[in-house]
Amino acid sequence: SRADHNFWYEPLPEYESWRYVDFRKDAWQVVYGSLKGFDGSDYLLDARRTTKDMPEALALARLGTDIAGLIQLNPSAQASRGVGYIPFLYLQEKYRNKGLGVQLIGYAVSFFRKLDRDKLRLRVAPCNERALRFYQKHGFTKIGEDSDMLGGTYVMEMKI
């Protein structure tokens, strides 16, 4: 029989906080080629602060008993503009390029539709070609550019 390939989600438990930092660290390394400038504790503090009223906004994506990835949503950022903001979306290496990442986008759509948002927005480093292709394939378009401590990022948006 065909294995189940549908993610199920659970809020990131406090005792699994280390996992969030590890995922952020891996993503940073993949995108920037080093850990220069990386501050995992700062990311974790921000994630916990922005999701404390809605723990499901910081969720592990599970496939059976495996943790396949994680999604971080920010319910308050840009809310007045009808935007659902996605600070972080992550799949572990062994789950990439298998058509599973779209389920994380689906989770964000479902989460933000309940809050009456009509678009999703995120930022992507221009050098992260794999992520750019993924987001474009799933309906995101570049609507602008932003800058951060490592240079520029593309601001991408999708109507939902």
Side-chain angles (χ1 to χ4, degrees), residues 39-67:
D39 185 348
S41 59
D42 199 37
Y43 276 123
L44 182 62
L45 236 113
D46 182 62
R48 289 294 187 197
R49 182 181 51 77
T50 60
T51 62
K52 77 173 167 35
D53 296 332
M54 299 182 92
E56 66 277 15
L58 183 59
L60 290 172
R62 292 186 174 270
L63 200 54
T65 57
D66 278 6
I67 293 172

Side-chain angles (χ1 to χ4, degrees), residues 82-136:
V83 168
Y85 188 70
I86 306 172
F88 189 54
L89 184 147
Y90 179 84
L91 274 181
Q92 295 213 69
E93 181 66 42
K94 72 179 187 175
Y95 295 105
R96 295 177 195 155
N97 297 315
K98 296 183 181 343
L100 297 169
V102 69
Q103 293 183 54
L104 295 170
I105 301 289
Y107 182 85
V109 168
S110 175
F111 179 92
F112 282 120
R113 277 192 178 146
K114 291 176 194 161
L115 300 177
D116 290 326
R117 309 297 165 78
D118 58 6
K119 49 193 163 276
L120 297 179
R121 192 173 290 167
L122 47 79
R123 293 173 19 182
V124 182
C127 63
N128 193 349
E129 293 173 15
R130 180 193 251 179
L132 285 170
R133 281 192 307 273
F134 170 77
Y135 292 123
Q136 288 166 340

